[in-house]
Amino acid sequence: MISNHHLFLTLLSLPRVGRKTALNFYKFENFKFENTKDIWEAIKSYNSKGQKFPNISEGLIQESFKKSEMLINKSLDENHTIIAFDEGNYPQKMKYIEDPPLILYAKGNLDALKKENSVALVGKRKVSKYGSEAAYKVGHNVSENDIIVVSGLALGCDTHAHLGCVGANGVGIAVLAHGLDQVHPSSNKDLVNKLIEKNGLLITEYPLGANPTKFNYVERDRIQSGLSDAVIVLETDEISGTMQTVQFAEKQKRPLGVLDFPAEAYEQGIALGNKLLIKDKRGYAFNLDDDLFSFYQSITKDKSSYLKEKVE
């Protein structure tokens, strides 16, 4: 029997086949695949029933199957795990988001994906002194309370949040915008090692050899919020990549926490995105003197809104 990760890797290697097409095909009927001929026959059946799968040949399927097999073997050689949509170790929180990743590559402690409580800590790269100290403190505090820290390993807020996490011997998940064979920025190599040593996890939807791109970073943001029960904005400008994560959180019905900076910071033009989010009531404001664990509990007390399909 062809595994889900082998099937999805084969489909996604085909020309003009994206995540949506592959997932719709997978969900259409309860197809069973023993070999590439079964995939070919299923695609013909799928198209005959009015569906639209790109016009491909059986030879292309065989070629894609071989490519995916090579990628699987290469990942196994590196002690990486490949997780596919609908497989047992696929993170349940992410199954119900719009446009879920069909393939995830992971390195480290897979049990981190099963933890009940998790929070995405996000913010800008060129962070202020107050923002960097806050990121460390929040990462440290939530980790002390056995909450998984999810972030993107970028410079600035991500880095300081993860440092706070490992400083508290917490478990962190770093979501990458490239393959597991790279670390960006390279200055975070030691941090990556510490995350793994502390039973953390690196995860990405990009295969070995994939380089980071601006588009990848945007796509990565939906996974950060999708893996989390809440998203906390540490520091952001009014227009920034962090605001894209905020938009994903809103689409995915994840509650949003926003760090409220001191008035003098706003007067200096720092964290104006935080000020705007609070003013527009798009997130729950908190400050560093608050009981962060109680704050987290209060904004995540009702998870049914974003696990609706699972509940029903």
Side-chain angles (χ1 to χ4, degrees):
M1 186 71 66
I2 296 175
S3 65
N4 278 5
H5 59 263
H6 205 161
L7 171 66
F8 281 125
L9 281 170
T10 299
L11 295 175
L12 294 172
S13 296
L14 293 168
R16 303 183 305 283
V17 176
R19 289 188 298 263
K20 185 175 180 180
T21 298
L23 186 58
N24 286 342
F25 170 72
Y26 170 78
K27 288 182 172 181
F28 188 70
E29 285 186 11
N30 189 25
F31 294 123
K32 301 294 183 184
F33 305 103
E34 296 285 350
N35 48 48
T36 55
K37 185 173 179 60
D38 289 343
I39 299 175
W40 169 240
E41 293 297 333
I43 289 174
K44 289 194 294 184
S45 173
Y46 181 76
N47 284 340
S48 72
K49 295 175 181 177
Q51 304 303 310
K52 294 182 179 179
F53 202 95
N55 185 24
I56 57 174
S57 66
E58 186 175 3
L60 270 176
I61 295 172
Q62 292 172 345
E63 184 180 324
S64 294
F65 187 84
K66 289 177 182 176
K67 286 180 182 177
S68 65
E69 202 163 39
M70 289 173 63
L71 182 55
I72 290 169
N73 290 334
K74 191 173 180 181
S75 294
L76 290 175
D77 288 343
E78 297 293 332
N79 293 317
H80 299 162
T81 302
I82 301 178
I83 306 168
F85 185 86
D86 247 14
E87 290 183 337
N89 50 1
Y90 190 88
Q92 292 298 303
K93 294 171 189 173
M94 206 153 57
K95 286 187 71 173
Y96 308 102
I97 69 171
E98 181 182 333
D99 190 23
L102 302 186
I103 292 290
L104 293 167
Y105 303 87
K107 177 182 179 180
N109 174 30
L110 293 176
D111 287 339
L113 296 173
K114 300 176 184 176
K115 290 275 190 177
E116 184 176 349
N117 298 313
S118 58
V119 60
L121 303 181
V122 300
K124 63 187 293 187
R125 287 174 170 80
K126 294 183 179 179
V127 62
S128 67
K129 184 175 186 294
Y130 185 89
S132 63
E133 292 173 353
Y136 183 93
K137 182 174 181 178
V138 175
H140 194 281
N141 187 286
V142 297
S143 296
E144 285 182 316
N145 288 285
D146 200 30
I147 299 170
I148 298 287
V149 169
V150 180
S151 203
L153 207 66
L155 290 173
C157 287
D158 290 8
T159 294
H160 291 289
H162 277 310
L163 285 170
C165 173
V166 298
N169 293 314
V171 177
I173 298 177
V175 185
L176 309 181
H178 47 78
L180 290 172
D181 53 334
Q182 305 176 46
V183 174
H184 289 277
S186 59
S187 57
N188 273 344
K189 286 182 180 179
D190 286 344
L191 177 55
V192 164
N193 292 334
K194 289 177 183 176
L195 279 170
I196 297 297
E197 287 171 9
K198 303 288 186 182
N199 290 317
L201 183 72
L202 305 181
I203 198 163
T204 180
E205 65 179 325
Y206 299 103
L208 290 168
N211 294 316
T213 67
K214 187 175 180 179
F215 179 73
N216 289 4
Y217 282 114
V218 173
E219 292 228 301
R220 184 271 310 272
D221 292 343
R222 83 189 195 287
I223 297 177
Q224 288 186 93
S225 57
L227 284 173
S228 306
D229 296 306
V231 174
I232 289 182
V233 175
L234 298 164
E235 181 179 340
T236 184
D237 297 324
E238 293 175 282
I239 300 175
S240 68
T242 302
M243 285 300 195
Q244 292 170 336
T245 309
V246 167
Q247 291 172 8
F248 282 120
E250 291 172 334
K251 286 181 182 178
Q252 296 168 3
K253 300 181 181 178
R254 273 22 176 202
L256 188 71
V258 184
L259 176 62
D260 194 4
F261 274 58
E264 57 266 28
Y266 296 138
E267 291 169 3
Q268 295 169 24
I270 296 170
L272 293 183
N274 295 48
K275 183 178 181 181
L276 180 64
L277 289 170
I278 293 169
K279 175 178 175 292
D280 291 345
K281 298 182 179 179
R282 291 172 67 183
Y284 301 93
F286 72 97
N287 62 60
L288 293 181
D289 294 326
D290 291 337
D291 179 344
L292 294 179
F293 181 60
S294 295
F295 172 76
Y296 171 84
Q297 286 182 312
S298 70
I299 66 174
T300 59
K301 62 180 180 290
D302 181 14
K303 299 181 182 181
S304 62
S305 62
Y306 56 91
L307 293 178
K308 185 175 180 182
E309 292 184 47
K310 185 178 180 181
V311 171
E312 292 177 348

